[in-house]
């Protein structure tokens, strides 16, 4: 993880500038953080830990995607080939919506084992304003507002998912 953090923007070929930033964020802020922590605590890897890592990783990616969407013009001029630069404005907006909405579908899957995980669905209204802004073509400062809203969504979703996973009925 330390090496990945360093080579994200450092070194001779920073992978964050070659379209791989979202892959690393998903891997380290989703799978490694959630499934890795569960493995350390339980001594085994479970489907539930892997399933729980998906929405966490995707919401982390949503933060990077919206940030990179905002920076497409400046990154293009600077030669930074982020995923947003590579796939373009419109596809990046679709990617953002997917990273923001798929976690809610994953909660339904997780609820098979932990029904209270459905508590995280209560955060769906928090997803609506930033998705609307992004889909409507927001740029510049409007995307900064959507970035803050996405951060608040990630925090609230994570807290309710944690409670839903921790409490068994």
């Amino acid at each position: 993880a330390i090496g990945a953090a360093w080579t994200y923007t450092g070194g001779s070929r920073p992978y964050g500038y070659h379209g791989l930033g979202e892959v690393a964020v998903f891997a380290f802020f989703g799978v490694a953080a959630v499934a890795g922590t569960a493995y350390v605590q339980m001594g085994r890897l479970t489907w539930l830990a892997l399933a729980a890592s998906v929405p966490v990783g995707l919401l982390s990616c949503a933060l990077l995607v919206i940030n990179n969407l905002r920076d497409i013009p400046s990154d293009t001029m600077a030669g930074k080939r982020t995923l947003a630069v590579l796939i373009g404005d419109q596809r990046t907006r679709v990617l953002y919506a997917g990273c923001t909405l798929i976690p809610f579908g994953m909660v339904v899957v997780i609820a098979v084992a932990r029904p209270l995980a459905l508590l995280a669905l209560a955060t769906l209204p928090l997803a609506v304003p930033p998705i609307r802004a992004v889909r409507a073509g927001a740029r510049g400062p409007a995307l900064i507002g959507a970035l803050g809203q996405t951060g608040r969504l990630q925090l609230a979703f994570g807290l309710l998912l944690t409670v839903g996973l921790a409490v068994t009925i």
Side-chain angles (χ1 to χ4, degrees):
I2 292 169
W6 176 263
T7 56
Y8 177 74
T9 56
S12 60
R13 287 190 43 92
Y15 67 85
Y17 300 156
H18 290 90
L20 297 172
E22 287 77 4
V23 173
V25 165
F26 183 80
F28 289 102
F29 288 84
V31 178
V34 176
T37 299
Y39 177 79
V40 168
Q41 292 178 355
M42 298 184 302
R44 60 188 170 89
L45 190 58
T46 67
W47 77 269
L48 184 59
L50 285 171
S53 74
V54 172
V56 173
L58 286 174
L59 286 171
S60 296
C61 284
L63 287 167
L64 180 59
V65 169
I66 196 167
N67 190 59
N68 286 344
L69 173 64
R70 184 197 65 210
D71 293 345
I72 287 175
S74 60
D75 285 348
T76 301
M77 289 180 64
K80 296 177 183 177
R81 296 173 43 96
T82 63
L83 183 59
V85 168
L86 293 173
I87 67 174
D89 185 274
Q90 287 306 311
R91 287 187 180 121
T92 301
R93 292 174 187 278
V94 172
L95 177 61
Y96 171 78
C99 288
T100 306
L101 291 173
I102 291 170
F104 294 98
M106 284 304 299
V107 165
V108 175
V109 172
I110 293 165
V112 170
R114 293 286 195 282
L116 288 179
L118 292 172
L119 288 170
L121 294 178
T123 64
L124 188 56
L126 296 176
V128 174
I131 290 173
R132 276 194 183 143
V134 168
R135 296 294 291 153
R139 300 190 185 287
L143 286 175
I144 293 171
L147 178 65
Q149 293 169 330
T150 304
R152 287 186 287 282
L153 167 64
Q154 182 187 33
L155 176 62
F157 184 99
L159 287 171
L160 290 179
L161 180 61
T162 300
V163 169
L165 290 169
V167 178
T168 57
I169 54 175

